[in-house]
Amino acid sequence: MPYSIMLDAGHGGRDPGAVYNGRAEKDDSLALTLAVGEILQDRGLDVLYTRTTDVYESPYQKAMEANEAGVDFFVSIHRNSNPTPNTSSGVESLVYDKSGIKLEMAENINEQLEAVGFVNLGVKERPGLVILRRTRMPAVLVEVGFINSDTDNMLFDNNFEDIALAIAEGILDTLQMNGDIPSVPGSYTVQAGAFRNGTYADRLQQELLDQDFPAVISQDNGLYRVTVGTYPTLDEAAAVERRLKRAGYQTVIVSG
């Protein structure tokens, strides 16, 4: 049975969260939450959401939703803010207390986001936050850069897919470290494209080969699929997928 996680896009509806130059935290958090959820679903987790549209629910309501759903983990995604614009930057994660798997997950998420380019501000205890206090499962709140930092916003916009992947990898790394998602030998490949026109597939294959990616083309149900490598473990496939994402390709890991 797959492990389940509820992802929470911070704020929403009548509550915009932090705002800066017409930018609202609720919008950034929702877009990123949906992107993270898609990756986690592709990796085999059962993903639920507190919201998928611009609606408002109180932190208490969100915590109760997670409890009623009986999910194994809860991750809330936000953007940070400072009273004075462009004086702070970086990512930090918040937990009820610094213990257990929630601390490991928070640290792993921060480390992955640091690799994308954010300053790592560490993990902080916030026992007063309802979303962390009332959830019955391990819960982490991630502040993905400062919304009133031009530096962080540029990083957020220019590396959006890498940021989503970093958060997902931080979650998955934690579960694998704790034996919750066994990294068993199997067959995994990374799909970089699927086309109905074989010419486009040929073009993408050559482009990948020129960058030393071992790309091949297969035909299935009228589609020409371009994939990179065959790997015995999910970890190895994920490492290649990260390289492809950073090179600007839309990818998905496929198990054989």
Side-chain angles (χ1 to χ4, degrees):
M1 182 176 177
Y3 277 78
S4 60
I5 185 168
M6 182 165 280
L7 297 180
D8 168 45
H11 307 282
R14 67 175 185 267
D15 174 16
V19 295
Y20 176 66
N21 286 347
R23 185 172 193 142
E25 180 183 1
K26 68 175 184 177
D27 299 326
D28 282 0
S29 64
L30 179 58
L32 186 55
T33 296
L34 295 176
V36 172
E38 184 178 351
I39 296 169
L40 293 177
Q41 285 178 311
D42 287 343
R43 302 292 179 85
L45 268 66
D46 185 8
V47 180
L48 291 81
Y49 303 89
T50 59
R51 69 180 181 101
T52 57
T53 58
D54 186 20
V55 297
Y56 174 77
E57 287 187 343
S58 70
Y60 177 81
Q61 287 175 300
K62 292 178 175 183
M64 292 305 102
E65 282 181 24
N67 293 341
E68 289 167 12
V71 294
D72 299 306
F73 302 93
F74 183 92
V75 174
S76 186
I77 295 176
H78 290 248
R79 300 291 311 277
N80 217 334
S81 186
N82 187 290
T84 306
N86 293 306
T87 56
S88 298
S89 64
V91 296
E92 66 179 5
S93 290
L94 311 179
V95 292
Y96 180 79
D97 60 43
K98 291 186 178 182
S99 68
I101 192 171
K102 63 182 179 295
L103 174 60
E104 294 176 32
M105 186 173 290
E107 290 174 337
N108 286 334
I109 291 171
N110 281 11
E111 288 175 6
Q112 290 284 351
L113 288 170
E114 184 179 12
V116 176
F118 285 106
V119 175
N120 186 349
L121 300 176
V123 179
K124 311 281 179 23
E125 291 185 346
R126 290 290 188 273
L129 288 179
V130 170
I131 206 80
L132 300 177
R133 187 175 76 247
R134 299 307 296 265
T135 41
R136 296 189 191 127
M137 68 291 303
V140 178
L141 189 154
V142 188
E143 298 274 15
V144 188
F146 283 73
I147 200 168
N148 60 351
S149 162
D150 294 334
T151 298
D152 281 0
N153 284 340
M154 185 178 297
L155 190 57
F156 188 95
D157 294 337
N158 292 344
N159 300 274
F160 181 83
E161 292 177 357
D162 286 343
I163 291 167
L165 181 61
I167 295 172
E169 293 290 359
I171 293 167
L172 292 164
D173 287 350
T174 307
L175 301 184
Q176 290 172 353
M177 284 168 54
N178 285 271
D180 295 327
I181 297 180
S183 184
V184 295
S187 176
Y188 301 90
T189 187
V190 184
Q191 181 176 295
F195 307 92
R196 297 209 174 271
N197 188 326
T199 301
Y200 296 134
D202 291 338
R203 186 179 303 161
L204 177 58
Q205 180 192 30
Q206 190 57 55
E207 187 178 301
L208 290 167
L209 289 171
D210 289 344
Q211 298 175 73
D212 295 326
F213 289 109
V216 298
I217 298 174
S218 60
Q219 198 170 357
D220 176 39
N221 292 327
L223 287 177
Y224 296 88
R225 301 182 186 276
V226 182
T227 57
V228 175
T230 302
Y231 308 96
T233 68
L234 182 58
D235 283 345
E236 290 174 90
V240 173
E241 186 192 33
R242 282 196 293 271
R243 288 176 53 210
L244 286 163
K245 289 273 192 184
R246 291 190 183 110
Y249 296 101
Q250 299 289 331
T251 62
V252 62
I253 293 178
V254 180
S255 58

